[in-house]
Each structure stands twice: as structure tokens, then as C-alpha cells.
Amino acid sequence: AAEANLVRNAGFESGLGGWTCSAGSGSVVSSPVHGGASALRAVPAGSDNARCSQAVAVRPNSEYQLSAWVQGSYVYLGATGTGTTDVSTWTPGTSGWQQLRTSFTTGPNTTSVTVHTHGWYGQSAYHVDDVLLTGPGGDPGEPDPEPPAAPGGLAVGQTTSTSITLTWNAAAGATGYHVYRDGQKVQSAPGTSATVTGLKPSTSYEFRVSAVNGAGESA
């Protein structure tokens, strides 16, 4: 059975967790983003092409579909270590978000592949968001991944006329959290606290928090 997404922290909502970027070239930004509140920004410099990668567990002799939304000049998406033919696709440049797609089949002994994206030497920064790898999970004995349960214990901490600090309990399996104000997502947090700013004095607000991982988002 195909899983929802085998890539961890696919939307970079938990910073660079799960990803490795060459020469410190990667960072997480809040704009531009394709989905959620964060995206990857990577800057090629000198002889470095700003390669950001993640090792993903897969099964032998299986088919996989890989995609990502990208923006910038000369952005590449690919997979290595497939055990058959490694794949790569690219775009010479786009001013808006563009989805790159490719696919591959693993070899008879392949249990891990490396998903990667990179730019090109001497070019400007590129952005990546919502990386997706679908196919059979790496361990046939493990159940399909599920979104985490909703976090509990949401509490108000320090408040000022324009900000509020929130805390909550950790949710098992969560890789990050989204903070909602009056039904609109305003912030993502890697841990169990967040300070929301930009509020109006003497105004009532409703806050809610959800937990997220590679399989989706909780209530």
C-alpha cells in the first residue's frame, strides 16, 4: 500500500529537521511558501550548488513517485541510491511556484534512497516546499503512518497588550505544531510553546494548536 508521504518534514514546518544542506546553504523562510507557513531557501555559493537531501527508507523492487514545488533559477529534484537508474529533473527558472515530478523503481537490494534538491553554481537562491515521495514504506512490518493526536494542555502564559505566549503538551509522533488564531494559521513551532505577536490591545482572541508530521495534521 502506498503511504501518504515517506519524506519527513516535507514542508519544512519543523525547520531543517530531517534535512542536510551542503556548506550551510539552507535555511527556512516564511515567504515565499507554497503551503503551510514555511519553505526551504538554499543559496549556491562558489563551488557549492546548495544541495539539500534526506535519506528515506524504501522497499526493494518497488515503484516510487517523487515531486516538489520549487521556485527560482535552475532548481533540481532527484533521487540517488535507487539500485537501478538514479533520477533527476529540473527547471531553468520560474518566477512563481512550479511542481517538478519524477519517478523511479528500486533495485532488488535497495532499502534506502536519498532524495535531494539543489541549485546551480553562480545562480541566485532557490526555494522548495511540499516535497512528496509516495510508494511502499521501508519496513513491511510497520503500520502505515498516521497523523499525530491533537496536543492537549493548551495554556496561556505571559501576555502583553500586543502578544501572548502559549504552551501545550507534546503529542506522540509529532514533528511540529501549527498555531491558529481565530481559525487562521499564524505560526508554526518545532516545540511545545510559541509567542504570537501583532495583536491588538483590549481584544479577545481564540487560539488553537494542532500537531503535524509527515503523514498529516491532527485536529
Side-chain angles (χ1 to χ4, degrees), residues 124-205:
S124 58
Y126 70 88
H127 296 81
V128 177
D129 203 0
D130 298 330
V131 184
L132 177 64
L133 179 67
T134 56
D139 186 347
E142 293 184 355
D144 288 344
E146 297 181 352
L154 181 60
V156 175
Q158 182 180 1
T159 62
T160 71
S161 61
T162 59
S163 68
I164 184 172
T165 298
L166 303 171
T167 60
W168 55 87
N169 299 330
T175 58
Y177 300 88
H178 293 331
V179 178
Y180 290 82
R181 182 186 68 205
D182 295 337
Q184 298 293 320
K185 183 165 67 177
V186 294
Q187 192 170 333
S188 295
T192 56
S193 65
T195 298
V196 181
T197 59
L199 306 180
K200 297 179 180 179
S202 302
T203 304
S204 295
Y205 295 95

Side-chain angles (χ1 to χ4, degrees), residues 1-216:
E3 298 183 0
N5 191 356
L6 301 178
V7 177
R8 304 180 306 280
N9 191 25
F12 303 94
E13 304 297 334
S14 298
L16 292 176
W19 295 89
T20 300
C21 295
S22 60
S25 56
S27 62
V28 171
V29 295
S30 58
S31 179
V33 299
H34 176 262
S38 302
L40 168 70
R41 180 180 186 267
V43 185
S47 59
D48 178 64
N49 64 0
R51 185 178 189 269
C52 294
S53 62
Q54 179 180 137
V56 182
V58 295
R59 296 184 193 176
N61 297 319
S62 300
E63 296 181 359
Y64 292 87
Q65 303 290 326
L66 175 64
S67 66
W69 289 89
V70 303
Q71 185 176 141
S73 299
Y74 293 94
V75 191
Y76 292 73
L77 172 71
T80 59
T82 63
T84 55
T85 301
D86 292 345
V87 295
S88 179
T89 184
W90 64 287
T91 176
T94 173
S95 58
W97 288 103
Q98 175 183 343
Q99 189 176 38
L100 294 178
R101 295 174 178 268
T102 188
S103 61
F104 59 89
T105 300
T106 54
N109 300 310
T110 303
T111 58
S112 176
V113 300
T114 298
V115 172
H116 65 85
T117 183
H118 65 81
W120 197 248
Y121 310 100
Q123 299 297 315
S124 58
Y126 70 88
H127 296 81
V128 177
D129 203 0
D130 298 330
V131 184
L132 177 64
L133 179 67
T134 56
D139 186 347
E142 293 184 355
D144 288 344
E146 297 181 352
L154 181 60
V156 175
Q158 182 180 1
T159 62
T160 71
S161 61
T162 59
S163 68
I164 184 172
T165 298
L166 303 171
T167 60
W168 55 87
N169 299 330
T175 58
Y177 300 88
H178 293 331
V179 178
Y180 290 82
R181 182 186 68 205
D182 295 337
Q184 298 293 320
K185 183 165 67 177
V186 294
Q187 192 170 333
S188 295
T192 56
S193 65
T195 298
V196 181
T197 59
L199 306 180
K200 297 179 180 179
S202 302
T203 304
S204 295
Y205 295 95
E206 179 190 64
F207 292 93
R208 299 188 182 193
V209 174
S210 66
V212 294
N213 62 17

